[in-house]
Amino acid sequence: HGYAKVNEVSLAGTDVGQTLCKYAEEKKVDMLVAGAHAVSAIQRLTFGSTTAYLLKNSPSLLFVQH
């Protein structure tokens, strides 16, 4: 696919959305890719939604696949 470099970052024990946004900003990332799936409002309140956070806060283009 023409990608010369792929970076892996451990997100264990962090706020994933905030960490991804910070990383994207620091590395000047062109695009983030996130998945979306239907969850209930109760699940979203309990567990949060990284994709929802990225939709509101991503410093770069965000591609969401459902």
Side-chain angles (χ1 to χ4, degrees):
H1 293 94
Y3 296 107
K5 186 175 181 182
V6 175
N7 294 316
E8 291 184 29
V9 178
S10 175
L11 301 175
T14 67
D15 181 299
V16 175
Q18 287 179 350
T19 303
L20 286 172
C21 286
K22 182 178 176 184
Y23 182 85
E25 191 167 8
E26 288 173 357
K27 300 295 183 181
K28 297 181 174 49
V29 170
D30 294 323
M31 180 184 346
L32 293 172
V33 178
H37 57 88
V39 294
S40 72
I42 299 293
Q43 288 174 315
R44 192 174 299 115
L45 287 172
T46 305
F47 300 109
S49 172
T50 299
T51 301
Y53 182 88
L54 291 174
L55 282 167
K56 293 178 184 176
N57 299 288
S58 178
S60 58
L61 182 65
L62 178 64
F63 179 83
V64 178
Q65 174 64 39
H66 179 62

